[in-house]
Amino acid sequence: MPMLGALITPHPPVLLPEVGGGREREISATGNALREAAAEVARWNPEVLIVASPHTILYGDYFHIAPGEGAVGSMAAFGAPQVRIAVSYDVPLRQAILRQAEGVGLRAGTLGQRDPDLDHGVLIPLYFLRRAGVTCPIVRMGLSGFSALDHYRLGQCVANAVAELGRRAVFVASGDLSHKLKADGPYGFAPEGPVFDEAVTRAMASGNFLEFLTMDPTLCERAAECGLRAFQMMAGALDGQAVRPRLLSHEGTFGVGYGVALFPVTGQDDTRRYAAVCERIQKERLAARRAKEDPWVRLARLSLETYVRQGHILQTLPEDLPAELTGQTAGAFVSLHKDGRLRGCIGTIVPTEENVAKEIVQNAVSAGTRDPRFPPVRIDELDRLEYSVDVLGKPEPVDSPAALDPKRYGVIVTHGQKRGLLLPDLDGVDTVDEQLEIARRKGGIRAEEPYTLQRFEVVRHL
């Protein structure tokens, strides 16, 4: 039996009267839409809900699915402990999903649970669904740092498991949209916020789920989106199914985008299988970027690929390197991204090698294999990596944060032997305060500890 359909739902706590205390009326369109959607889901008479939430346990390299027989959660953290929901988990379906994931090479499981309680990304849609009479078991799924395509494939695994067990299932994709729609909102404003919301709600209204899979990662990062990966998983769960898309509401009253959409399945449609199309688009984009790489970036790529494939540092530099690489010294940082997300970044503030080229060789290998935040790059990842190289100018001391500009200058903060550095012009770092906070934390410098400041400029190579 195929999926019955899917629901996209936001999860602002203020939406519940017990939390909002009247403010929920300011987003009444969202509340009314969720009540309408919950009533329709109740008419579908599901036997299980698969709920994907950004606030369930999230790992960079693992899909977490909640273990056990069931769980309880409340809105006590938001001042409403009386809002309490208990659920049972569909254990056989969970196990079938994990078998399907293992069969296609996705890392998913029930290990690593830190908090068994239901998070508000699950509680809020269940609040409305319970009031509409939907009391069936659930499977609670977390997101990951994996690619859009991997989230889609896990959704396919959900659909296959549902079909295997013959369940009447509904996928619930919980997630807000951009958090940067208004200057007076809790997260401020970014121009990319409204652009993101327009693109996502367009996909909700049209049912063109390919748009969920191919959105610009930089746009998503700057928009501070919340739910896109849940929507990508939902799209996979409806792979090959005809749907009747209904965008029921979209609001940004508080500076955060809330969208409610419903997708009842109406039959089969093989033109709505997006995995192969998404993979082709990704490969074409990577190939186009690689074709434009300059000598700095090509050297970084060659250095890491040589080390990962052959097990040794590049010994002989390419003969056609420009004089700026071979005849000068400078500190340099090499950054790696995969599927729009950071995969490693290591560098040197001042030169440690006889020229910039050798600085890049060493730091490219370190970025791919010695960044403590990430496991070493594997051979099968090499073709999916995007590189950038920042060549640093000489750091200069500054007396005040007023002399900083996060778009133009990188910053170094120092307290005794502790030092933190942040490169300039990074996605999501828009203010000096944000830049200093991140640099301080990277250096292990506590908020109450005094520090000195240096700034530097870079030449960025892509």
Side-chain angles (χ1 to χ4, degrees):
M1 178 178 294
M3 302 287 299
L4 298 174
L7 166 65
I8 286 178
T9 168
H11 49 242
V14 70
L15 189 61
L16 308 189
E18 296 87 344
V19 176
R23 292 198 72 197
E24 71 279 2
R25 290 192 288 271
E26 298 178 54
I27 51 171
S28 59
T30 299
N32 291 337
L34 269 174
R35 282 184 282 274
E36 179 183 350
E40 181 158 344
V41 171
R43 289 192 288 272
W44 297 349
N45 192 28
E47 298 171 334
V48 63
L49 303 174
I50 299 94
V51 186
S53 166
H55 299 287
T56 294
I57 303 299
L58 186 152
Y59 291 101
D61 59 351
Y62 182 75
F63 286 109
H64 178 80
I65 304 180
E69 300 290 328
V72 178
S74 81
M75 296 297 289
F78 302 95
Q82 71 274 26
V83 179
R84 182 178 181 277
I85 296 176
V87 299
S88 59
Y89 289 143
D90 188 332
V91 177
L93 180 59
R94 179 179 68 212
Q95 294 307 114
I97 293 170
L98 292 176
R99 287 195 301 272
Q100 291 283 340
E102 182 179 13
V104 297
L106 291 174
R107 297 191 68 238
T110 57
L111 301 176
Q113 178 166 264
R114 297 171 185 166
D115 182 357
D117 292 350
L118 300 177
D119 61 271
H120 72 278
V122 175
L123 285 168
I124 290 170
L126 289 183
Y127 176 97
F128 288 90
L129 288 162
R130 286 291 179 90
R131 278 157 178 73
V134 181
T135 59
C136 58
I138 75 170
V139 174
R140 179 187 176 204
M141 304 183 68
L143 312 179
S144 78
F146 289 136
S147 69
L149 191 54
D150 285 338
H151 284 81
Y152 187 88
R153 286 171 173 157
L154 187 60
Q156 290 177 299
C157 293
V158 169
N160 291 338
V162 165
E164 174 189 334
L165 299 186
R167 294 283 197 268
R168 295 176 56 83
V170 173
F171 197 101
V172 179
S174 177
D176 300 334
L177 307 185
S178 170
H179 283 63
K180 293 197 171 187
L181 297 182
K182 288 187 174 182
D184 59 354
Y187 305 95
F189 175 78
E192 294 83 0
V195 174
F196 176 87
D197 272 33
E198 195 280 330
V200 169
T201 53
R202 181 176 62 243
M204 292 178 186
S206 68
N208 180 9
F209 296 155
L210 185 62
E211 292 198 52
F212 291 151
L213 303 175
T214 56
M215 292 193 69
D216 180 0
T218 299
L219 170 68
C220 299
E221 181 76 19
R222 292 178 176 172
E225 64 83 16
C226 169
L228 183 60
R229 284 171 286 176
F231 308 160
Q232 293 162 350
M233 199 182 297
M234 178 208 75
L238 299 180
D239 177 69
Q241 300 300 314
V243 298
R244 187 173 70 253
R246 295 176 59 199
L247 175 61
L248 300 178
S249 70
H250 174 245
E251 292 186 289
T253 306
F254 303 133
V256 178
Y258 305 138
V260 180
L262 202 58
F263 305 96
V265 170
T266 60
Q268 185 172 333
D269 184 350
D270 287 335
T271 68
R272 295 179 56 79
R273 299 189 186 276
Y274 297 116
V277 180
C278 177
E279 192 165 20
R280 174 179 57 78
I281 291 172
Q282 288 180 350
K283 286 181 177 178
E284 290 173 351
R285 185 183 63 81
L286 286 170
R289 178 181 172 110
R290 186 163 183 167
K292 296 178 180 178
E293 290 176 347
D294 70 11
W296 285 255
V297 175
R298 288 201 300 271
L299 178 60
R301 182 185 291 279
L302 175 64
S303 302
L304 181 57
E305 291 186 351
T306 297
Y307 186 85
V308 173
R309 296 183 193 279
Q310 301 177 24
H312 63 77
I313 297 287
L314 182 68
Q315 298 298 318
T316 303
L317 295 174
E319 295 181 355
D320 59 348
L321 294 179
E324 296 98 312
L325 278 167
T326 58
Q328 299 179 9
T329 62
F333 273 72
V334 176
S335 301
L336 313 174
H337 284 78
K338 188 179 82 170
D339 302 320
R341 299 182 184 278
L342 186 68
R343 183 62 179 85
C345 179
I346 294 287
T348 44
I349 299 173
V350 296
T352 61
E353 300 290 335
E354 63 184 86
N355 56 40
V356 176
K358 291 189 176 181
E359 206 82 36
I360 292 172
V361 170
Q362 295 294 331
N363 292 339
V365 172
S366 294
T369 63
R370 302 187 188 112
D371 188 327
R373 298 169 293 180
F374 304 96
V377 167
R378 306 182 308 271
I379 289 179
D380 64 347
E381 295 180 276
L382 291 173
D383 289 340
R384 295 168 62 187
L385 294 180
E386 298 177 71
Y387 294 69
S388 63
V389 176
D390 288 296
V391 180
L392 275 60
K394 185 178 179 180
E396 58 181 7
V398 295
D399 296 329
S400 165
L404 300 176
D405 178 345
K407 296 302 179 186
R408 178 180 177 184
Y409 297 112
V411 67
I412 302 168
V413 297
T414 304
H415 172 80
Q417 298 299 311
K418 294 188 287 188
R419 183 164 61 177
L421 176 147
L422 197 68
L423 295 169
D425 197 21
L426 298 178
D427 289 339
V429 182
D430 300 315
T431 68
V432 170
D433 287 344
E434 291 171 339
Q435 187 183 43
L436 291 175
E437 170 70 12
I438 297 169
R440 183 182 57 75
R441 285 193 278 108
K442 288 181 68 176
I445 300 171
R446 297 191 301 272
E448 67 273 15
E449 292 179 321
Y451 52 78
T452 60
L453 291 173
Q454 292 174 287
R455 71 183 186 185
F456 60 89
E457 294 186 278
V458 306
V459 177
R460 178 160 294 163
H461 300 268
L462 301 171

